[in-house]
Amino acid sequence: MKPTTYYPLPSFKAPFFLFLAFSLCITHQAFASPMEDYYMQKRQHMIRLIEQDVHETSQYLDTEALDEKVLKAISTVPRHKFVRPDTIEDAYKNHPLPIGYGQTISQPYIVAIMTDLLKLSTDDKVLEVGTGSGYQAAVLSELVKQVYSIEIITPLGEQAKSRFKTIGYKNITTKIGDGYYGWLEHAPYDAIIVTAAASHIPHALIEQLKAGGRMMIPVGSNFMTQQLLLITKTIDGELQTQQILPVRFVPLTGEH
Ligand code: SAH
């Protein structure tokens, strides 16, 4: 009878599992990497489109180029993971897209200039009103310490929250509610960004903005031209309002 050979377990199993892990890595890379490269290239192209638009609107923005940090954040966030599957091929085009419930993910150029004009620092705490797809919050989260984002439409808010978890954004906290009243619990904020058009500047948001803080908000009705405003609260608590450029946003809804 043929004698049974026993292999000492560690020396047999360890190389086998190493080989398995290595093969899985290779297989994973073979599938994941080309897609990631594809989207990375699309993001780079989108950045060039944003830069072109910035150049063409430089008289409104008072600058020829956006902060490198903002461009880096935009070139990092996988915008294709924030759009509906049927619009994924359009994710990196420089225009807004429908996200359901009559709402839209903003045009990349608008996300870029609003983020840039906030002049954010790494230690900042930012409030966003209108989570929507979650894309703007993700861009902010690349640049600051903590983002708080409020959404009034429950399914959109919940979807964005689960996206943040899946993609791995740990510094975004969300809630469902009416952002017209801000989020008092975490106030004051270094910066506030409102991504839906308000008929006027909500008082609570002014109250919850730090002295020295900046707020971006589109103001105007749904039927008329809205103006994107940059509001700065001075160290003495005074407000300075700067009209940036005409825009078109979905309306800020709620009971107010
Ligand atoms: N920042 C979003 C843009 C979403 S569009 C993104 O990156 O995708 C504006 C969003 O504001 C919509 O989802 C809309 O439901 C939400 N919204 C409108 N009024 C609101 C309110 N009062 N409070 C909170 N969210 C509001």
Side-chain angles (χ1 to χ4, degrees):
M1 203 173 96
K2 206 175 159 208
T4 317
T5 318
Y6 291 99
Y7 294 96
L9 265 182
S11 61
F12 166 69
K13 270 198 166 167
F16 173 73
F17 282 118
L18 267 177
F19 171 74
L20 189 69
F22 181 68
S23 326
L24 282 174
C25 258
I26 301 260
T27 325
H28 173 74
Q29 285 222 334
F31 288 110
S33 189
M35 268 336 264
E36 285 314 308
D37 280 358
Y38 171 75
Y39 286 122
M40 175 62 90
Q41 275 172 25
K42 285 200 155 218
R43 278 200 288 281
Q44 290 314 324
H45 178 65
M46 182 180 80
I47 295 281
R48 287 197 289 280
L49 298 178
I50 293 172
E51 286 178 321
Q52 260 170 30
D53 274 7
V54 167
H55 176 70
E56 280 163 25
T57 54
S58 58
Q59 79 275 19
Y60 292 106
L61 307 176
D62 227 8
T63 182
E64 271 289 334
L66 302 183
D67 187 342
E68 277 301 317
K69 284 183 297 187
V70 172
L71 293 176
K72 185 159 180 274
I74 291 173
S75 66
T76 307
V77 177
R79 188 170 158 97
H80 62 282
K81 295 188 178 164
F82 292 85
V83 301
R84 290 194 322 213
D86 60 319
T87 60
I88 201 162
E89 273 310 305
D90 296 331
Y92 294 101
K93 291 188 177 159
N94 193 18
H95 55 64
L97 290 169
I99 55 171
Y101 306 91
Q103 308 305 318
T104 51
I105 175 173
S106 304
Q107 179 190 5
Y109 158 76
I110 291 289
V111 172
I113 63 164
M114 286 177 85
T115 309
D116 189 80
L117 286 159
L118 287 174
K119 303 279 172 249
L120 300 166
S121 306
T122 44
D123 268 344
D124 283 353
K125 178 166 65 165
V126 182
L127 173 69
E128 180 193 29
V129 174
T131 318
S133 67
Y135 177 70
Q136 171 74 73
V139 170
L140 294 168
S141 85
E142 298 279 344
L143 295 159
V144 301
K145 194 171 194 177
Q146 183 65 41
V147 179
Y148 293 97
S149 187
I150 312 177
E151 172 56 54
I152 205 164
I153 300 177
T154 306
L156 284 179
E158 281 173 355
Q159 185 183 48
K161 186 178 179 179
S162 88
R163 263 181 197 142
F164 298 144
K165 191 157 186 257
T166 313
I167 305 173
Y169 290 104
K170 296 202 168 57
N171 59 344
I172 308 174
T173 309
T174 57
K175 98 166 176 180
I176 307 295
D178 188 347
Y180 178 84
Y181 302 101
W183 194 340
L184 191 58
E185 192 188 343
H186 305 289
Y189 301 96
D190 299 285
I192 298 180
I193 181 167
V194 183
T195 63
S199 59
H200 57 274
I201 301 161
H203 181 69
L205 298 186
I206 295 289
E207 290 282 298
Q208 293 174 28
L209 185 64
K210 256 187 206 169
R214 290 156 87 86
M215 168 155 80
M216 292 302 304
I217 179 167
V219 173
S221 83
N222 202 18
F223 313 102
M224 282 157 47
T225 308
Q226 305 153 359
Q227 287 294 335
L228 182 60
L229 304 183
L230 165 61
I231 295 165
T232 310
K233 200 185 216 180
T234 65
I235 296 294
D236 323 316
E238 256 176 56
L239 295 184
Q240 290 171 352
T241 304
Q242 215 178 313
Q243 208 163 294
I244 305 298
L245 82 174
V247 284
R248 186 150 186 82
F249 275 81
V250 293
L252 188 76
T253 58
E255 300 289 305
H256 55 271

